[in-house]
């Protein structure tokens, strides 16, 4: 949540919010001022967010059932957090059966399409100058560097920002150049965390909606 760097009074969206821990932390950074819309696909999980916010006295969280892969609303936000559904390889020690599900190619392709659609939704929700943080708990390159590189090809109005730009410490490792699917990406700006570095396995990227589209290379370049 530190990489989202929310400010008091801003409007934020957490598009894959349940069970609510990330949303609650973001509201603490916002000093419980502004608006945070917390979306999730299932009513039961959205109710967990509502109950948690009420228990903690967080009055600016508005939780609702929305499918982030198909669009959530027509509002515009200063910042959007996309902690997307993923293959979960970073938490395989907790859930060892994940390795067998990941081997199902059709299922994994569907997951990649969902992540891509969620990113496109998030892009439409941001104001010019807005910040988008994308994160996973997997090591799968096509869900990490590859997904971010493909997003930047689809959305030249976005630029990759240094994910460490909002914090005064370092952690984990830079991304890996051979994991972008052949697409251009400054992997020094994204971050991977391996289990040997503390915690579990995670990936993070921060993107800024700069407003003026970048000039993309010609096809084949």
């Amino acid at each position: 949540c530190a990489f989202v760097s929310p400010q008091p009074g801003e409007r934020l969206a957490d598009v894959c919010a349940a069970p609510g821990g990330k949303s609650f932390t973001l509201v603490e950074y916002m000093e419980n001022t502004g608006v945070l819309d917390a979306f999730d696909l299932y009513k039961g999980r959205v109710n967990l967010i509502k109950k948690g916010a009420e228990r903690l006295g967080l009055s600016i969280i508005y939780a609702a059932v929305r499918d982030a892969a198909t669009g959530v609303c027509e509002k515009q936000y200063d910042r959007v957090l996309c902690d997307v559904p993923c293959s979960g390889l970073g938490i395989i020690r907790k859930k060892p059966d994940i390795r067998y599900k990941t081997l199902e190619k059709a299922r994994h392709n569907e997951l990649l399409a969902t992540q891509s659609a969620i990113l496109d939704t998030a892009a439409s929700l941001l104001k010019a100058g807005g910040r988008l943080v994308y994160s996973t708990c997997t090591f799968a390159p096509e869900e990490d560097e590859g997904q971010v590189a493909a997003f930047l090809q689809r959305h030249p109005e976005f630029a990759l920002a240094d994910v460490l730009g909002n914090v005064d410490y370092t952690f984990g490792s830079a991304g890996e150049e051979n994991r972008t699917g052949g697409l251009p990406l400054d992997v020094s700006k994204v971050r991977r965390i391996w289990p040997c570095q503390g915690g579990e396995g995670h990936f993070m990227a921060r993107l800024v909606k700069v407003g003026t589209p970048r000039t993309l290379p010609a096809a084949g370049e």
Side-chain angles (χ1 to χ4, degrees):
C1 291
F3 310 111
V4 181
S5 191
Q7 303 300 310
E10 289 186 330
R11 180 181 291 274
L12 271 69
D14 183 353
V15 298
C16 304
K22 299 181 300 296
S23 293
F24 304 154
T25 304
L26 289 171
V27 170
E28 290 183 12
Y29 280 99
M30 298 166 69
E31 300 175 2
N32 205 28
T33 63
V35 173
L36 191 147
D37 289 334
F39 302 121
D40 207 84
L41 188 57
Y42 301 104
K43 184 176 180 180
R45 291 170 63 81
V46 168
N47 286 338
L48 292 176
I49 302 172
K50 292 179 178 178
K51 291 177 180 178
E54 183 179 358
R55 183 179 70 254
L56 296 170
L58 304 176
S59 60
I60 68 167
I61 293 180
Y62 300 91
V65 177
R66 297 286 190 276
D67 184 354
T70 60
V72 293
C73 64
E74 296 181 356
K75 297 178 184 177
Q76 294 285 282
Y77 296 90
D78 298 293
R79 304 172 197 266
V80 177
L81 172 59
C82 297
D83 186 34
V84 297
C86 68
S87 56
L89 294 176
I91 56 172
I92 199 167
R93 289 184 296 182
K94 288 183 179 179
K95 300 180 179 180
D97 60 312
I98 284 174
R99 72 187 70 191
Y100 304 111
K101 295 178 182 178
T102 304
L103 293 176
E104 299 174 11
K105 185 172 179 59
R107 182 171 181 170
H108 196 218
N109 286 342
E110 182 180 352
L111 180 61
L112 292 172
T114 297
Q115 293 169 347
S116 178
I118 291 172
L119 275 170
D120 290 342
T121 292
S124 70
L125 294 175
L126 276 170
K127 300 176 180 177
R131 308 293 179 89
L132 165 62
V133 170
Y134 173 79
S135 64
T136 74
C137 58
T138 187
F139 306 127
E142 59 271 30
E143 299 177 57
D144 295 342
E145 291 95 339
Q147 194 69 267
V148 173
F151 172 83
L152 288 168
Q153 292 295 300
R154 297 194 305 275
H155 293 277
E157 75 276 19
F158 276 81
L160 183 66
D162 188 345
V163 77
L164 291 174
N166 291 325
V167 297
D168 57 2
Y169 56 88
T170 188
F171 65 92
S173 303
E176 300 182 357
E177 292 182 358
N178 63 341
R179 292 175 172 249
T180 67
L183 297 173
L185 184 72
D186 183 351
V187 294
S188 69
K189 293 183 176 180
V190 302
R191 214 71 184 165
R192 281 179 168 269
I193 301 176
W194 300 94
C196 61
Q197 295 168 323
E200 299 170 329
H202 298 279
F203 173 86
M204 286 149 284
R206 189 161 60 96
L207 301 126
V208 179
K209 193 170 189 177
V210 294
T212 303
R214 293 171 288 111
T215 301
L216 296 178
E221 292 185 8

